[in-house]
């Protein structure tokens, strides 16, 4: 679209053609480049976070379960050794406290684990943090001295230790009932520990409870949480980058389009021109090209309206001037014959104005009528036959005959259009041919096919047209009729015919009929695509 109208470009770029919009439109986000980009970029950061959280959660669950299983196995071994070497008496067995404490002391228990041994009454017999000969690197909580009752917290105990003792007491009680207890609870320092309580059995008698707890799970999980920090930073960075990309790719171009549209709305420009956006192969490119073509079409239409208004004013001024002159002269003329001639001139000018106003009104409504009625399949040969039959029915003696040359062997010529507008095209062409045909002559209407098109043609036996006017005859208000009476035509018939045909995707053109070296008439053709 190249025109001399001003274009709206927020960046002051030169106006260029918007180009033709591709016929294939993208439907739905998955068929859209921008849609796929938005989805992928926004989901990528979320996927990183979710993946890291799932990995960490899976790792923590697996770690806790693994530690419970290893503590249970280790506790079963220690309980079996205590049963073998630290129980006395038969048939009433008892647990030898010193021997059991020695077993707990001899077995190599890692520093991150704590082993405690209770008798059948819940009294603490041994604590690995007390009996083990090791140096701890961090201050230990007050240990329960051997022989101290677990369920009676010592004086000065704080709330955390009280809660930890209560949970431990509940666990020991359940284990004294003969159950192996696997649990995750709070330790004396308030941190979570993995704990296993195993009853020490001698045959069926429960002589005590061995409790093993490990406090390294939280430390390992904390390390893994620190390892998750890079995932979070990467996710945040990806989100920021995607936001900047989306802003640059979508928000900024849309803002530029809005500014250009505002300039058009405020009448600073007549069309939008954003060549850098129009070259994009995505939805924003489609939108830019559509807006460029839409505003360009609106600008062309406004120019056409202005030109049409100027032509109408010019065409109306001629009969108005003639009428004014005839009226002014009529008052001065006394001769009856001259007055009668002036009255005939007035009658002709009034008739011409009536035809002009009628045709102008029809031409001004034509665009709206064509856009309102959607094209539908129409059998063109039957329409032409009906119009020609109507001319023959109403023909009077001496009038030009209209004859339809029906195509042979056709099963119908279907085109896309509406009966009313296409009938007007054919009537305008036939009326034009009749006006140039000699009295008693003939106008022939026929049909042909050519590469997916149906061609309807109208031939007359008139004087033809100068070669330089074969295209000019389709312009508004153009008329060249040396044989016609003054003001007999408005000059809009062929222009309206072309406007209707092009609205339905067809073509209309004029040629001279040549016989030898002489022009023997005019040949008008209308080509419409097959339905």
């Amino acid at each position: 679209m190249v025109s001399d109208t001003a274009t709206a470009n927020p960046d002051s770029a030169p106006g260029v053609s918007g180009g033709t919009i591709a016929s294939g439109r993208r439907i739905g986000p998955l068929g859209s480049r921008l849609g796929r980009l938005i989805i992928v970029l926004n989901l990528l950061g979320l996927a990183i976070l979710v993946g890291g959280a799932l990995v960490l959660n899976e790792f923590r669950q697996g770690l806790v379960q693994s530690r419970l299983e290893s503590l249970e196995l280790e506790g079963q071994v220690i309980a079996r050794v205590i049963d073998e070497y630290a129980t006395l008496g038969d048939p009433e067995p008892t647990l030898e406290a010193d021997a059991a404490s020695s077993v707990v002391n001899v077995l190599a228990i890692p520093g991150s684990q704590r082993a405690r041994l209770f008798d059948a009454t819940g009294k603490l017999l041994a604590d690995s943090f007390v009996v083990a000969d090791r140096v701890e690197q961090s201050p230990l909580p007050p240990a329960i001295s051997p022989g101290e009752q677990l369920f009676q917290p010592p004086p000065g105990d704080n709330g955390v230790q009280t809660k930890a003792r209560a949970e431990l007491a509940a666990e020991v009680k359940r284990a004294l009932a003969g159950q192996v207890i696997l649990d995750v609870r709070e330790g004396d320092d308030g941190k979570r520990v993995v704990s296993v309580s195993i009853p020490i059995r001698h045959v069926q008698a429960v002589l005590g409870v061995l409790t093993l707890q490990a406090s390294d799970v939280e430390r390992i999980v904390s390390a893994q949480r620190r390892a998750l920090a890079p995932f979070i930073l990467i996710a945040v960075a990806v989100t920021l980058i995607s936001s900047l990309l989306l802003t640059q790719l979508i928000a900024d171009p849309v803002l530029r389009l809005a500014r250009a549209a505002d300039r058009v709305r405020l009448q600073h420009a007549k069309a939008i021109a954003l060549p850098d956006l129009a070259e994009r192969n995505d939805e924003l490119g489609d939108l830019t090209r559509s807006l460029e073509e839409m505003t360009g079409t609106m600008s062309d239409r406004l120019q056409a309206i202005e030109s049409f208004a100027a032509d109408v004013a010019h065409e109306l001024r001629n009969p108005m001037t003639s009428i004014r002159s005839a009226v002014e002269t009529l008052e001065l003329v006394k001769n009856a014959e001259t007055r009668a001639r002036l009255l005939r001139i007035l009658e002709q000018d009034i008739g011409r104005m009536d035809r002009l106003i009628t045709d102008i009104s029809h031409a001004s409504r034509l665009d709206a009528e064509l856009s309102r009625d959607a094209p539908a399949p129409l059998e063109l040969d039957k329409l032409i036959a009906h119009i020609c039959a109507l001319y023959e029915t109403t023909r009077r003696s001496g009038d030009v005959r209209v004859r339809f040359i029906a195509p042979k062997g056709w099963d119908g010529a279907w085109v896309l259009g509406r009966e009313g507008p296409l009938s007007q095209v054919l009537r305008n062409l036939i009326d034009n041919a009749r006006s140039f045909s000699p009295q008693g002559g003939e106008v022939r209407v026929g049909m042909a096919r050519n590469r997916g098109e149906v061609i309807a043609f109208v031939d007359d036996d008139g004087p033809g047209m100068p070669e330089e006017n074969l295209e000019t005859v389709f312009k508004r208000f153009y008329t060249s009729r040396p044989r016609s009476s003054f003001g007999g035509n408005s000059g809009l018939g062929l222009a309206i015919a072309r406007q209707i045909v092009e609205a339905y995707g067809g073509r209309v053109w004029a040629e001279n009929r040549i016989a030898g070296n002489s022009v023997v008439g005019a040949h008008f053709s209308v080509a419409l695509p097959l339905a």
Side-chain angles (χ1 to χ4, degrees):
M1 177 186 62
V2 180
S3 67
D4 57 354
T5 58
T7 55
N9 187 342
D11 301 326
S12 299
V16 297
S17 172
T20 302
I21 299 176
S23 58
R25 292 293 185 182
R26 300 166 180 86
I27 302 176
L30 296 182
S32 160
R33 288 185 60 192
L34 287 179
R36 292 194 298 269
L37 182 63
I38 292 172
I39 293 174
V40 170
L41 290 180
N42 282 318
L43 289 182
L44 184 57
L46 182 60
I48 294 173
L49 276 179
V50 171
L54 290 177
V55 169
L56 179 61
N57 185 63
E58 187 71 21
F59 174 81
R60 180 175 183 178
Q61 294 297 328
L63 177 62
V64 170
Q65 186 63 32
S66 176
R67 293 297 283 143
L68 285 173
E69 292 175 357
S70 63
L71 286 179
E72 182 182 10
L73 179 60
E74 186 178 349
Q76 294 285 1
V77 172
I78 297 174
R80 183 66 179 271
V81 173
I82 292 175
D83 178 42
E84 289 291 334
Y85 296 100
T87 56
L88 300 173
D90 193 16
E92 294 291 337
T94 59
L95 183 64
E96 180 60 39
D98 292 338
S101 298
S102 298
V103 171
V104 173
N105 188 33
V106 169
L107 294 179
I109 298 176
S112 60
Q113 295 179 193
R114 184 176 186 178
R116 283 184 273 197
L117 181 64
F118 302 91
D119 63 10
T121 64
K123 181 185 297 184
L124 180 62
L125 300 180
D127 189 336
S128 64
F129 277 15
V130 176
V131 300
D133 186 12
R134 61 169 66 93
V135 178
E136 300 294 338
Q137 296 180 353
S138 59
L140 296 175
I144 302 176
S145 301
E148 184 178 337
Q149 188 72 26
L150 173 66
F151 309 119
Q152 299 293 331
D157 196 4
N158 58 34
V160 174
Q161 294 177 357
T162 300
K163 181 179 179 182
R165 289 171 182 270
E167 292 180 353
L168 178 59
E171 185 177 322
V172 170
K173 282 184 178 181
R174 293 167 61 193
L176 287 174
Q179 302 179 18
V180 176
I181 307 300
L182 308 178
D183 196 8
V184 179
R185 55 180 176 80
E186 289 188 7
D188 293 342
D189 55 357
K191 297 181 179 179
R192 287 197 169 275
V193 296
V194 177
S195 177
V196 174
S197 293
I198 300 173
I200 300 174
R201 295 176 180 274
H202 186 80
V203 190
Q204 295 295 328
V206 177
L207 304 181
V209 173
L210 174 66
T211 299
L212 298 179
Q213 69 181 41
S215 59
D216 57 348
V217 174
E218 285 295 330
R219 176 175 55 81
I220 297 174
V221 171
S222 297
Q224 292 301 315
R225 285 176 176 167
R226 289 191 296 272
L228 185 62
F231 291 93
I232 298 175
L233 294 177
I234 293 174
V236 172
V238 169
T239 302
L240 290 176
I241 292 174
S242 66
S243 300
L244 293 175
L245 283 175
L246 293 178
T247 300
Q248 184 177 4
L249 293 175
I250 299 177
D252 290 346
V254 169
L255 182 59
R256 292 178 60 196
L257 284 174
R259 289 173 177 170
D262 286 340
R263 291 191 61 192
V264 173
R265 177 176 58 86
L266 297 174
Q267 298 180 352
H268 295 301
K270 294 184 179 180
I272 291 176
L274 296 172
D276 54 333
L277 294 182
E279 294 175 357
R280 288 178 53 164
N281 187 25
D282 54 28
E283 286 74 13
L284 280 175
D286 290 344
L287 176 61
T288 303
R289 291 189 290 272
S290 297
L291 289 176
E292 286 183 345
E293 292 190 355
M294 180 189 71
T295 54
T297 302
M298 290 175 59
S299 176
D300 292 343
R301 186 164 297 178
L302 288 174
Q303 287 182 342
I305 291 173
E306 293 173 358
S307 175
F308 184 71
D311 293 341
V312 167
H314 175 74
E315 292 297 320
L316 290 178
R317 188 177 294 113
N318 291 335
M320 286 293 294
T321 302
S322 178
I323 291 174
R324 183 183 300 110
S325 300
V327 170
E328 292 174 352
T329 306
L330 189 63
E331 296 178 354
L332 303 176
V333 173
K334 305 300 182 180
N335 184 279
E337 183 179 352
T338 304
R339 290 176 64 87
R341 186 166 60 251
L342 289 175
L343 288 174
R344 285 196 300 271
I345 292 174
L346 285 173
E347 184 180 357
Q348 290 174 353
D349 285 336
I350 291 173
R352 184 185 179 193
M353 287 190 64
D354 180 66
R355 282 189 296 273
L356 274 173
I357 292 172
T358 301
D359 289 344
I360 289 169
S361 175
H362 187 198
S364 63
R365 295 196 310 267
L366 190 58
D367 276 340
E369 292 176 355
L370 291 176
S371 62
R372 183 168 55 247
D373 296 331
L378 176 69
E379 200 166 0
L380 187 60
D381 52 344
K382 290 186 177 180
L383 178 63
I384 296 176
H386 175 73
I387 293 174
C388 292
L390 186 62
Y391 273 100
E392 280 298 296
T393 302
T394 58
R395 184 171 67 93
R396 291 178 294 185
S397 178
D399 287 349
V400 177
R401 182 183 178 188
V402 178
R403 181 166 62 93
F404 176 47
I405 305 174
K408 296 181 180 180
W410 284 26
D411 56 354
W414 293 86
V415 297
L416 284 178
R418 304 296 296 184
E419 182 177 344
L422 289 181
S423 297
Q424 183 176 2
V425 170
L426 295 169
R427 287 197 304 269
N428 288 359
L429 294 177
I430 293 173
D431 289 341
N432 180 78
R434 292 179 68 194
S435 67
F436 283 99
S437 297
Q439 188 175 8
E442 181 182 72
V443 171
R444 293 164 297 280
V445 183
M447 299 182 66
R449 283 183 178 175
N450 179 35
R451 297 180 181 180
E453 291 181 327
V454 176
I455 299 177
F457 60 85
V458 178
D459 289 345
D460 63 43
D461 298 324
M465 295 164 285
E467 290 294 328
E468 64 272 14
N469 290 340
L470 292 178
E471 184 64 25
T472 310
V473 294
F474 293 101
K475 292 185 177 181
R476 287 193 303 265
F477 301 112
Y478 175 84
T479 181
S480 177
R481 300 173 180 271
R483 297 177 62 250
S484 64
S485 60
F486 177 77
N489 296 86
S490 66
L492 287 173
L494 295 181
I496 291 174
R498 169 166 281 188
Q499 185 177 359
I500 294 173
V501 171
E502 290 182 349
Y504 291 141
R507 301 172 292 130
V508 59
W509 67 95
E511 299 171 303
N512 282 320
R513 295 175 53 239
I514 307 295
N517 295 325
S518 302
V519 176
V520 295
H523 177 85
F524 285 85
S525 300
V526 175
L528 293 169
L530 282 169

